[in-house]
């Protein structure tokens, strides 16, 4: 990510590197570029639009390496890879590379979150997915519309039904699954992440407890690095189940923070959210997510959507699937969670979350004596 300043540092600080760039001995690339280079035996130096968009030196409006930024950072364009659409022929494998047969076409290349978006079948404007991992990554396809967020969302490139570049908004939540790991590893409240669903169902609600897992600050839409983890509303009656349930609910609240901003800034009324990642298997969390968002939550039968997206892009390029519509038929839902919480209850719960976040963002100022 944000490779531009790293390239500049290397060129400025590694003795002889700039001289070697002039001699054509140096090439830059993201991880996919390096893999393609190695797989093709050094014959292909390329990347795709989604990976290029995260380098800090690619203009996502005109979809070219940004000459102004390259000039500012003193990066020669000659060291940069060719940029191609995500579903296209990048090259073919060389003989005896990783034990592979010579001539296997390399036809799918995308960043992990954009691949997951494609793997969820979110090819069209207004479709979105959320990956529940250590953190959460929510992407909304905005089609040909370039939307510059005023609330901390990232404008990036994703893929349309043919693997061509389109725009998307991304919201990053720093701590979600990591909060469950904290319950397990540091607090010893659970033995495994899967136990959280059983514990959460033992109580009807959190009894007013909110957990804001701002272990490393807060991501979108707050972007507050000084915020710190906070548990509020504790009483003598607070027990293990309340804390565990509050942790799962915090994941859903943070996703709502991002979804609400996406709806406001795009003017779109979203109707569903496709989900993947480890925590998507938690049915309590998914139902609460549907309730607090007032949206249908669609959980796929096959949760490895990043790999599926990369395979889909590759398959379209070689004609394994003729069209994206044909590919979309493989996107069977394992379960759809529909909202059933009354509006008044949903509003009350979220208002409590907003107040809890405000407490987590309070700055303590100390004076030297």
């Amino acid at each position: 990510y944000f490779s531009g300043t790293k390239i500049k540092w290397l060129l400025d600080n590694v003795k002889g590197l700039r001289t070697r760039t002039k001699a054509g001995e140096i090439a830059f690339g993201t991880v996919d570029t390096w893999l393609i280079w190695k797989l093709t035996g050094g014959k292909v130096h390329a990347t795709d639009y989604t990976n290029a968009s995260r380098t800090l030196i690619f203009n996502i409006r005109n979809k070219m390496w940004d000459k102004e930024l390259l000039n500012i950072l003193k990066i020669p364009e000659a060291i940069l890879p060719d940029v191609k659409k995500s579903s296209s022929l990048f090259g073919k494998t060389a003989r005896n590379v990783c034990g592979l047969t010579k001539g296997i076409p390399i036809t799918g290349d995308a960043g992990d979150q954009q691949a997951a978006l494609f793997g969820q079948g979110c090819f069209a404007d207004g479709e979105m997915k959320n990956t529940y991992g250590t953190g959460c990554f929510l992407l909304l396809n905005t089609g040909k519309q370039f939307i510059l967020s005023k609330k901390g969302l990232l404008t990036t490139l994703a893929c349309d039904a043919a693997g061509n570049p389109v725009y998307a908004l991304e919201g990053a939540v720093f701590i979600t699954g990591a909060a469950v790991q904290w319950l397990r590893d540091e607090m010893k409240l659970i033995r495994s992440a899967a136990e959280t669903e059983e514990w959460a169902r033992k109580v009807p609600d959190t009894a007013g407890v909110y957990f804001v897992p701002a272990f490393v600050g807060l991501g979108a839409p707050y972007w507050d690095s000084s915020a710190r983890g906070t548990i509020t509303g504790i009483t003598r009656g607070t027990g293990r189940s309340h804390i565990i349930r509050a942790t799962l609910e915090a994941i859903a609240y943070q996703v709502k923070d991002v979804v609400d901003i996406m709806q406001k800034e795009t003017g779109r009324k979203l109707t569903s959210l496709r989900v993947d990642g480890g925590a998507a298997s938690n049915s309590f969390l998914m139902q609460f997510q549907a309730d607090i968002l007032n949206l249908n939550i669609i959980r796929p039968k096959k949760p490895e959507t990043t790999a599926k997206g990369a395979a889909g892009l590759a398959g379209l390029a070689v004609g394994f699937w003729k069209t994206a519509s044909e590919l979309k038929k493989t996107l069977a839902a394992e379960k759809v969670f529909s909202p059933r919480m009354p509006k008044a209850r949903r509003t009350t719960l979220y208002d409590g979350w907003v107040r809890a976040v405000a407490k987590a963002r309070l700055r303590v100022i100390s004076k030297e004596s």
Side-chain angles (χ1 to χ4, degrees), residues 297-314:
I297 300 298
I298 304 171
R299 184 168 68 190
K301 281 187 177 180
K302 297 183 179 180
E304 297 298 334
T305 56
T306 301
K308 185 177 179 65
L313 289 164

Side-chain angles (χ1 to χ4, degrees), residues 11 233 293 329:
L11 292 173
L293 285 177
K329 292 177 182 178

Side-chain angles (χ1 to χ4, degrees), residues 79-337:
I79 71 171
L80 304 178
D82 295 331
V83 185
K84 307 180 73 171
K85 76 172 191 173
S86 299
S87 180
S88 58
L89 178 62
F90 288 83
K92 294 184 179 182
T93 56
R95 187 183 303 278
N96 295 327
V97 176
C98 300
L100 297 174
T101 303
K102 179 182 177 181
I104 300 172
I106 302 166
T107 54
D109 181 12
D112 57 352
Q113 298 306 323
Q114 290 95 332
L117 186 71
F118 193 86
Q120 287 275 28
C122 299
F123 314 138
D125 184 351
E127 295 181 321
M128 65 175 176
K129 70 88 193 173
N130 186 37
T131 297
Y132 295 81
T134 303
C136 274
F137 294 92
L138 188 77
L139 265 72
L140 170 65
N141 187 325
T142 61
K144 295 182 179 180
Q145 188 177 7
F146 180 100
I147 299 173
L148 195 60
S149 173
K150 296 179 180 179
K151 295 291 185 178
L153 303 180
L154 178 70
T155 308
T156 189
L157 292 177
C159 304
D160 69 4
N164 293 306
V166 291
Y167 293 110
L169 282 177
E170 178 177 333
V173 179
F174 293 156
I175 302 293
T176 52
V180 175
Q181 293 170 357
W182 178 75
L183 291 181
R184 182 193 65 199
D185 299 337
E186 274 69 46
M187 302 307 291
K188 311 297 183 185
L189 294 181
I190 53 174
R191 289 171 296 181
S192 68
E195 288 183 11
T196 56
E197 182 169 350
E198 179 184 353
W199 280 102
R201 294 187 186 279
K202 289 183 178 183
V203 289
D205 52 45
T206 67
V209 173
Y210 286 89
F211 176 24
V212 183
F215 297 158
V216 291
L218 290 168
Y222 307 103
W223 293 111
D224 187 346
S225 61
S226 65
R228 286 296 175 264
T230 307
I231 301 178
T232 67
I234 296 175
T235 68
R236 180 62 183 83
T238 299
R240 178 187 298 190
S241 291
H242 298 110
I243 300 295
I244 293 171
R245 181 170 177 138
T247 303
L248 294 180
E249 290 187 1
I251 296 173
Y253 288 133
Q254 290 180 98
V255 171
K256 177 174 170 59
D257 287 339
V258 175
V259 171
D260 285 356
I261 293 299
M262 284 185 168
Q263 293 195 113
K264 289 176 183 177
E265 293 202 321
T266 63
R268 292 163 172 80
K269 178 60 179 175
L270 306 172
T271 58
S272 64
L273 173 66
R274 292 184 171 272
V275 299
D276 54 71
S281 63
N282 189 310
S283 293
F284 168 82
L285 172 58
M286 292 300 98
Q287 183 57 56
F288 188 79
Q289 188 73 86
D291 288 337
I292 208 68
L293 285 177
N294 197 32
L295 296 176
N296 286 330
I297 300 298
I298 304 171
R299 184 168 68 190
K301 281 187 177 180
K302 297 183 179 180
E304 297 298 334
T305 56
T306 301
K308 185 177 179 65
L313 289 164
L316 285 172
V318 297
F320 186 83
W321 293 286
K322 302 301 181 185
T323 64
S325 297
E326 188 179 326
L327 176 61
K328 209 159 188 174
K329 292 177 182 178
T330 68
L331 304 174
E334 183 264 324
K335 188 171 183 179
V336 177
F337 298 85

